[in-house]
Amino acid sequence: MENTTKKGKLYLIPTTLGDNEPLEVLPISIKRTIEQIDYYIVENEKTARRFIKKISSGKSQPSLQIELINKFTDPQIIPSFLDPCLEGKSIGIISEAGCPGIADPGAEVVKIAHQKNIQVVPLVGPSSIFLALMASGLNGQSFAFNGYLPIDGSERKAVIKKMERISKDNNQSQIFIETPYRNDKLLAEFLKTLAPHTLLCIATDITLPTEQIATNSVAEWKKINIDLNKRPTIFIFQA
């Protein structure tokens, strides 16, 4: 017999970019959605539970059903995470910071949801990538998010040079992210590799009280001392 149960929805629930009050940077719709959902797919259970408690203190923690998706998750079991949707229950994906599905393992769950004809509902929230681009003054019509650069020094230098050529040829902003404790090393690599006239935006601690966003030429950045160690940062350059 055909299963006629109405499917639940998959909600993509953004989180804060740092340790600030959720409702300072998130719309009230996030709170309402969390209060209606007991099934979640998250990167880290402890931080997800803390976020849920902070945004909805009255929500029962024991009632939460949580599946983990990270680099240790067996890809074979990911489709089963969506079983509650097939039974009529909605699920929320919560990223560690910012928007699920963008530089985030939740994208794999979303892809499977489409294959299973489960409605995907993206909710409004802060994306460090787009907030940095908005504030950079660089090209917001043509841009590329490149994620993390290679760790190997020579390979990293070659990719930076390649992306700078692409930026110049296409008048395109190039966006990068790095593990916070490697930020200073990446900045040093940019200043050593990029041409002096190339514009570089450094966007740090976005939405936090310590937020700093500035765009200067590489030549100008070489005259400025800035400490990015362990501070979430987005880098954008345009040749």
Side-chain angles (χ1 to χ4, degrees):
M1 182 180 294
E2 183 182 352
N3 186 353
T4 58
T5 302
K6 185 177 179 181
K7 294 176 183 176
K9 299 175 183 179
L10 179 65
Y11 288 89
L12 309 186
I13 302 174
T15 61
T16 57
L17 298 176
D19 193 24
N20 41 9
E21 287 301 314
L23 294 181
E24 288 183 4
V25 294
L26 296 170
I28 194 67
S29 58
I30 301 290
K31 176 179 172 65
R32 286 198 297 262
T33 301
I34 282 176
E35 288 173 345
Q36 296 170 8
I37 294 176
D38 287 329
Y39 294 84
Y40 292 91
I41 301 169
V42 307
E43 287 185 75
N44 182 295
E45 181 170 357
K46 184 178 179 180
T47 56
R49 285 184 178 275
R50 185 164 63 235
F51 170 72
I52 292 169
K53 186 174 183 179
K54 202 168 185 179
I55 203 166
S56 181
S57 59
K59 189 163 184 67
S60 169
Q61 289 282 328
S63 69
L64 301 181
Q65 304 291 316
I66 293 178
E67 301 286 359
L68 295 180
I69 183 164
N70 52 42
K71 63 182 179 180
F72 303 110
T73 305
D74 181 356
Q76 301 284 341
I77 68 171
I78 294 176
S80 69
F81 293 173
L82 291 169
D83 286 351
C85 279
L86 303 179
E87 298 164 2
K89 302 176 181 70
S90 290
I91 297 174
I93 297 183
I94 298 178
S95 177
E96 272 295 275
C99 298
I102 301 177
D104 174 85
E108 182 63 24
V109 180
V110 175
K111 182 172 73 173
I112 295 169
H114 287 300
Q115 293 168 356
K116 292 178 178 286
N117 293 315
I118 294 168
Q119 183 179 350
V120 177
V121 183
L123 300 181
V124 174
S127 164
S128 60
I129 298 164
F130 290 110
L131 291 173
L133 182 60
M134 287 164 60
S136 70
L138 303 180
N139 194 344
Q141 298 253 19
S142 177
F143 54 88
F145 174 60
N146 301 288
Y148 295 85
L149 283 162
I151 294 176
D152 177 76
S154 58
E155 189 178 351
R156 174 183 289 200
K157 182 177 180 179
V159 172
I160 292 173
K161 281 290 191 186
K162 176 185 176 183
M163 301 317 297
E164 187 178 33
R165 287 194 300 271
I166 291 172
S167 175
K168 185 176 181 180
D169 292 343
N170 298 287
N171 187 30
Q172 186 179 71
S173 301
Q174 301 295 328
I175 309 172
F176 302 87
I177 195 170
E178 182 54 282
T179 304
Y181 69 86
R182 292 184 183 146
N183 280 337
D184 287 328
K185 188 174 181 181
L186 177 57
L187 175 58
E189 193 69 51
F190 279 142
L191 298 186
K192 183 171 66 174
T193 306
L194 295 170
H197 63 271
T198 293
L199 293 174
L200 175 64
C201 174
I202 301 173
T204 301
D205 290 344
I206 295 173
T207 73
L208 300 178
T210 52
E211 177 182 273
Q212 291 178 297
I213 303 174
T215 299
N216 294 297
S217 69
V218 167
E220 290 169 329
W221 275 120
K222 288 181 178 179
K223 303 173 187 175
I224 301 170
N225 290 323
I226 181 171
D227 182 9
L228 304 176
N229 187 42
K230 296 183 180 179
R231 300 172 67 191
T233 300
I234 297 289
F235 299 90
I236 310 173
F237 69 69
Q238 185 178 343

